[in-house]
Amino acid sequence: QVQLVESGGGLVQAGGSLRLSCTASGRIFSINAMGWYRQAPGKQRELVARITSGGSTNYVDSVKGRFTISRDSAKKTMYLQMNSLKPEDTGVYYCNAAIVVTWYPNDYWGQGTQVTVSS
């Protein structure tokens, strides 16, 4: 049973920082691309940042220069360093990963962690 568990969310004032973590566990052969998504109240879930197994990254325009995605393959953990947070960054942040258990990658999601930025 593969699981993704996020941590690090919370309440922060505008301009502050948070660091999210996502750790994969279970019977895992390899992890391909990983990503952070967020869903604000009343809005669709959107991709915030993505990182490939080779370390290539991409970000949604609204977080470029403020957020940094990284991963530690040995620890099966992905991070999202969020600086200069804005109220519009508020939402539930979900971890996503393409994980190979046997032959082909399957999509897995974490349970989500709440990030609230007060103005």
Side-chain angles (χ1 to χ4, degrees), residues 96-119:
N96 172 264
I99 296 175
V100 179
V101 175
T102 53
W103 293 106
Y104 304 104
N106 288 302
D107 224 23
Y108 292 88
W109 291 88
Q111 80 287 354
T113 185
Q114 177 70 44
V115 171
T116 302
V117 185
S118 63
S119 56

Side-chain angles (χ1 to χ4, degrees), residues 31 34 51 70-79:
I31 303 176
M34 303 181 78
I51 184 167
S70 61
R71 64 190 285 175
D72 184 331
S73 296
K75 295 182 179 179
K76 298 185 178 66
T77 299
M78 173 179 63
Y79 306 96

